[in-house]
Amino acid sequence: MNGYMKVWLKRRMIPQQWQAAKEVIKKIEHAGYEAFIVGGAVRDYYLQKENNDVDIATSALPEEIQTIFSQTIDVGIAHGTVIVLDCGEPIEVTTYRTESTYSDHRRPDTVEFVRNLQEDLKRRDFTMNAMALSQTAEFIDYYDGRQHIDSKMICAVGEPGQRFEEDALRMLRAVRFAAQLHFSIEDNTFEAIRQNAASIEYVAIERIQVELSKIFSSAHSAFGIEYMEKTTLSHYLYGEFNSSDWTRFASDDRQVGWAYFCLVNGSDLNLLTKYRCSNKDRLFVKTVLDAYESLLDGISHVDLMRFDSMVLKTACQFVIWQNHTLDVVYEELVARKSTLPLQHAHELAITGKDLLVWSSKKRGSWIKQALDAAVEAVLNGEVQNDKQQLKEWFYAFHDEG
Ligand code: ATP
Ligand code: MG
């Protein structure tokens, strides 16, 4: 380990997760077993990127981990995972394991615990994700992960075709890492993805949704989408993926990504159903797309009040990313919004009850319509937000006197 690395390690090891992981490893070693930090945390450590999701792999069996530590949560003993709580932060500890045959292209038929680290690293997807780090910051790197990171390459562990046949999601993960890190997919790995692309259809849609979210919200989403086209993975997934639509897109927010994906697919909200996105996602996407339409049509005062600043900002960005001309810049919109006589419909000086008192009509949908009309009239400056003035406005316009 060089001096720079040591200094950096000191700085980076401070986050509580890393400290806790180190303590967990020491305790496991003290009990006579091996333990290492593995997976994404090691990759990000080498890349000098923050990663607080520190996973540990160990030669100890789950039951042995449970005897070493007093506070554990059994989250998936069948798969070898126990969460250790003894060291301040919850740390996931998983027993070294190998995976047998995969008959369904997505899950191993059986999982077998082993005592050998190399066996465990061998089942991992890419060389950069197949490294281990000891608690003294020594790398265990059987598959040249660091070298591939240095040359910005995503490279399958072992024979790529076989690895993608086992678990087809790995193909989309390759694209996701390319998009996040701006790395290339190594030739053999790339070719194997092209050949196996159709089997992405075997993968559970929720897992695909997670990877697509990460591609959309990555630093190089257009680059990732270009890989989806080049590998032909895009042919087997719902919706169109055209990198040319994404060249100007830039957001680290997955919901903004999904909204944009729907937009470039003709504002097709059904895509959210197909990818099993949440109702919260759907509401956000619908609102942003409504705001986008409204901006293109020349936004009304009512819409300016109804859409919050984040939605307006996103919709303005969509107009720009779609190469349309934006009549009004976002800052101007926000300034205009702040001077509206109402910031929210419920600031209106009258309620439905007032209307019922003033009118001879019975309750009905007319109340909501009249209140909406009153909000619009206030926002358009036709009447002031004052009870007496609104009463006069109501009589004049509804002929109820
Ligand atoms: P992130 O930083 O985005 O979480 P990650 O590499 O940590 O990326 P995880 O899904 O958290 O990804 O998985 C942790 C580790 O488990 C990976 O680094 C890899 O070693 C292994 N892994 C995850 N998914 C697969 C898979 N489908 N096939 C093989 N190994 C996998
Ligand atoms: Mg992770």
Side-chain angles (χ1 to χ4, degrees), residues 39-41 43 51 53 55 176 214:
R43 176 198 67 228
N51 185 325
D53 188 16
D55 295 326
R176 184 258 277 197
K214 290 183 180 178

Side-chain angles (χ1 to χ4, degrees), residues 304-343:
L304 197 53
M305 177 197 73
R306 137 174 119 90
F307 297 124
D308 69 31
S309 312
M310 155 71 180
V311 164
L312 288 171
K313 186 170 190 175
T314 308
C316 285
Q317 286 174 321
F318 283 15
V319 173
I320 295 165
W321 294 337
Q322 286 283 284
N323 299 313
H324 294 304
T325 39
L326 191 60
D327 299 334
V328 51
V329 291
Y330 165 68
E331 288 74 14
E332 206 181 309
L333 274 181
V334 175
R336 257 166 56 186
K337 184 176 166 66
S338 68
T339 60
L340 289 175
L342 295 175
Q343 290 302 307

Side-chain angles (χ1 to χ4, degrees), residues 31-74:
Y33 304 98
E34 287 177 11
F36 295 91
I37 295 170
V38 287
V42 185
R43 176 198 67 228
D44 289 344
Y45 173 76
Y46 187 70
L47 282 164
Q48 304 191 10
K49 286 175 68 168
E50 287 288 347
N51 185 325
N52 289 324
D53 188 16
V54 183
D55 295 326
I56 289 177
T58 180
S59 59
L61 293 169
E63 306 82 79
E64 291 164 340
I65 292 297
Q66 285 173 318
T67 58
I68 298 170
F69 297 96
S70 57
Q71 281 179 282
T72 58
I73 308 175
D74 156 11

Side-chain angles (χ1 to χ4, degrees), residues 39-40 43 123-125 129 167 170 173 176-177 214:
R43 176 198 67 228
R123 74 172 166 88
R124 293 172 185 272
D125 48 4
N129 291 341
D167 179 359
R170 289 171 187 156
R173 281 174 60 89
R176 184 258 277 197
F177 288 118
K214 290 183 180 178

Side-chain angles (χ1 to χ4, degrees), residues 38-44 50-53 55 97 99 102 106 120-131 157 163 166-171 173 176-177 180 207 210-211 214:
V38 287
V42 185
R43 176 198 67 228
D44 289 344
E50 287 288 347
N51 185 325
N52 289 324
D53 188 16
D55 295 326
R97 60 180 210 223
E99 290 166 356
Y102 294 67
R106 53 189 195 176
D120 181 89
L121 296 177
K122 196 172 152 191
R123 74 172 166 88
R124 293 172 185 272
D125 48 4
F126 304 109
T127 57
M128 64 182 180
N129 291 341
M131 304 186 287
V157 174
R163 302 311 310 283
E166 289 169 0
D167 179 359
L169 184 75
R170 289 171 187 156
M171 299 187 288
R173 281 174 60 89
R176 184 258 277 197
F177 288 118
Q180 287 180 324
R207 294 177 82 201
V210 169
E211 296 305 322
K214 290 183 180 178

Side-chain angles (χ1 to χ4, degrees), residues 352 355-368 394 400:
L355 297 182
L356 278 170
V357 173
W358 299 338
S359 157
S360 52
K361 284 198 207 169
K362 281 198 213 145
R363 257 175 217 288
S365 58
W366 67 272
I367 296 180
K368 187 178 177 311
F394 177 70
E400 294 278 340

